[in-house]
Amino acid sequence: MTKDFDEGIFLNHLAPTTPWPFKIPIERAEGIYLYTPDGKRYVDLISGISVSNIGHRHPEVIDAIKQQLDKHLHVMVYGEFIQAPSNLLADKLTGLLPPSLNCVFLVNSGTEANEGALKLAKRVTGRSGLVSFHGSYHGSTHGSMSVSGNETKKAPFRPLLPDVNFIHLNDFANLGTITTKTAGVILETIQGDAGVRIPSKAYLTALRKRCDETGALLILDEIQCGMGRTGTLFAFEQFGIVPDILTVAKAFGGGLPIGAFISSRDRMKQLSHSPILGHITTFGGNPVCCASALSTLEVLTCGNLLSDVNRKGKLIEDLLVHPKIHEIRRAGLMFAIDFDSEERVHRIVSDALDNGVICFWFLSHPNSFRIAPPLTINDDEIRDACQVILKAIEKS
Ligand SMILES: Cc1ncc(COP(=O)(O)O)c(C=O)c1O
């Protein structure tokens, strides 16, 4: 018997993250669909947690990856050699951003992008204080975890970074916590794992102003809400503010692992002296990942994919009407759907799964499940998936 999808190997020899993994064997994926070896098809309504924004195995991305595979894989640690994929990616990405975000540090994941951003804020300001938000999730390494809000998840790993204060989103009174001792303020432009929490424009304007007054650097984490998820390439574009540092990952790589923190050249060059090599990475800017990311950016920014995100989001919102739903929070195609209990959410998610639609929970908001489909999903696919979810809600 082939070992490819052996459950025993999966359970005994791959480290677990929960006692109850989905355990679906996946043989291949295409567009919005995942396929098991025995031919069962699932709709990936969560994009592998906000990664497959242009669908699985987009043909242009696969082509770009294959072309790079025939040239070279890793040749040198980040920052030494000039390589076409990272050059072209940095050129494309900075061309899509405001002029003050003109320098990209390529890393391998979201948490690593945030680690770099936090270090950059400390290095540039010469301060140590960090301010973050209740409910936030910025990653699982020590620094990112230190600025993440979920105390239950953090407690066993203390001590973490000192000098981190948490404030509430949209609460103007808390802005005084940001002072001239604050190196950086880190915020998901749209909070993901808090259950899709959206700041008001007035709040983000005031936050930007407070950072300017105190000299604290504003770090916007768009690892989950960026790359077109909310209808613009980056969510901050909808709020009339520009961060000092932007972090991206997840959908940035089109299915391969890559992240980045992005800031001004002036700030970024401080990581190259006193000490030199103040922030380094072996695989950051991996050529195959960069080729995939560049192609993903090209797909995202040509045609009407982004301008159609809100219409598709509204269609899902209009279809998902049921008395058991307490609230829907939505930004583009990023949804949290609230119910009266965690148990009901589990019943709905597992019934939808049995019927071929993958939804998922949030890290810090148990009464909700998430929907974040590939932006490429079409109207018929939306209608079919919503039917399955409505039936699951009815049965729950
Ligand atoms: C907003 C946000 N920041 C950071 C991360 C961490 O990214 P990664 O899992 O690539 O380290 C995540 C992952 O879910 C995220 O949603």
Side-chain angles (χ1 to χ4, degrees):
M1 201 180 93
T2 166
K3 292 183 176 176
D4 292 12
F5 300 103
D6 186 280
E7 204 173 293
I9 297 175
F10 175 77
L11 292 175
N12 294 315
H13 298 298
L14 284 165
T17 55
T18 75
W20 46 79
F22 272 4
K23 291 192 296 186
I24 307 170
I26 298 300
E27 188 171 56
R28 65 191 177 89
E30 204 80 49
I32 68 159
Y33 297 111
L34 307 177
Y35 297 88
T36 67
D38 55 10
K40 181 160 180 177
R41 189 177 82 169
Y42 288 93
V43 178
D44 181 3
L45 221 56
I46 51 172
S47 305
I49 311 290
S50 303
V51 170
S52 314
N53 283 12
I54 57 170
H56 293 270
R57 294 188 79 252
H58 192 285
E60 286 177 39
V61 174
I62 296 298
D63 193 44
I65 292 171
K66 283 182 174 165
Q67 285 188 34
Q68 184 55 41
L69 287 179
D70 286 337
K71 291 180 186 154
H72 61 89
L73 308 183
H74 173 89
V75 285
M76 183 52 171
V77 297
Y78 173 82
E80 298 295 334
F81 290 178
I82 304 173
Q83 299 176 50
S86 46
N87 248 19
L88 296 174
L89 176 60
D91 184 56
K92 174 84 182 169
L93 182 58
T94 54
L96 292 163
L97 286 164
S100 58
L101 296 173
N102 61 3
C103 195
V104 182
F105 199 125
L106 294 165
V107 293
N108 307 285
S109 66
T111 196
E112 201 186 330
N114 285 333
E115 295 286 346
L118 297 174
K119 278 177 70 180
L120 182 64
K122 289 167 88 172
R123 175 70 181 81
V124 167
T125 60
R127 306 172 184 175
S128 62
L130 296 166
V131 173
S132 184
F133 287 78
H134 291 288
S136 60
Y137 179 70
H138 296 292
S140 275
T141 53
H142 275 78
S144 301
M145 181 177 254
S146 302
V147 293
S148 295
N150 191 323
E151 188 48 44
T152 314
K153 300 225 163 35
K154 281 158 50 165
F157 302 104
R158 289 193 178 282
L160 294 171
L161 280 183
D163 219 358
V164 181
N165 284 296
F166 287 87
I167 59 179
H168 290 279
L169 190 68
N170 286 330
D171 181 352
F172 291 77
N174 276 181
L175 288 173
T177 307
I178 303 164
T179 69
T180 52
K181 292 196 164 61
T182 309
V185 179
I186 184 163
L187 172 66
E188 297 158 76
T189 315
I190 310 287
Q191 284 190 316
D193 278 289
V196 184
R197 308 286 162 178
I198 305 169
S200 71
K201 204 167 176 175
Y203 182 77
L204 281 197
T205 307
L207 178 65
R208 175 69 274 182
K209 186 162 170 275
R210 184 67 191 157
C211 288
D212 290 339
E213 284 163 3
T214 55
L217 298 190
L218 178 59
I219 304 163
L220 289 183
D221 172 343
E222 297 231 1
I223 288 160
Q224 194 172 142
C225 65
M227 308 315 292
R229 173 60 51 201
T230 69
T232 46
L233 188 59
F234 298 105
F236 74 80
E237 295 168 43
Q238 297 167 40
F239 293 90
I241 59 150
V242 175
D244 299 306
I245 308 173
L246 174 70
T247 60
V248 295
K250 284 191 177 277
F252 181 46
L256 289 190
I258 183 168
F261 58 103
I262 305 149
S263 191
S264 70
R265 169 86 190 140
D266 270 356
R267 286 192 199 103
M268 211 66 105
K269 73 180 182 218
Q270 300 203 36
L271 292 176
S272 67
H273 65 86
S274 327
I276 65 159
L277 304 175
H279 192 75
I280 51 175
T281 157
T282 297
F283 283 122
N286 176 275
V288 181
C289 300
C290 285
S292 180
L294 174 62
S295 174
T296 301
L297 265 180
E298 279 161 358
V299 172
L300 272 171
T301 52
C302 80
N304 64 351
L305 193 56
L306 295 190
S307 59
D308 216 17
V309 164
N310 260 311
R311 186 194 62 77
K312 290 179 185 177
K314 176 85 171 43
L315 177 60
I316 295 178
E317 202 172 338
D318 289 346
L319 288 167
L320 290 184
V321 176
H322 194 282
K324 286 183 190 158
I325 296 177
H326 279 204
E327 189 184 12
I328 295 184
R329 285 178 302 285
R330 174 177 81 83
L333 275 166
M334 185 173 176
F335 286 80
I337 303 173
D338 280 8
F339 294 86
D340 56 347
S341 73
E342 187 174 348
E343 292 69 33
R344 190 185 301 284
V345 166
H346 277 256
R347 286 197 294 274
I348 295 167
V349 170
S350 59
D351 190 75
L353 190 66
D354 288 346
N355 290 291
V357 172
I358 301 175
C359 306
F360 207 59
W361 15 86
F362 290 102
L363 290 172
S364 298
H365 198 254
N367 282 17
S368 284
F369 69 86
R370 77 172 82 214
I371 296 178
L375 313 180
T376 49
I377 193 169
N378 70 35
D379 290 9
D380 287 339
E381 291 164 339
I382 286 176
R383 285 194 191 90
D384 290 349
C386 286
Q387 269 306 107
V388 171
I389 293 171
L390 280 173
K391 279 191 193 144
I393 295 173
E394 184 57 34
K395 271 205 257 167
S396 72

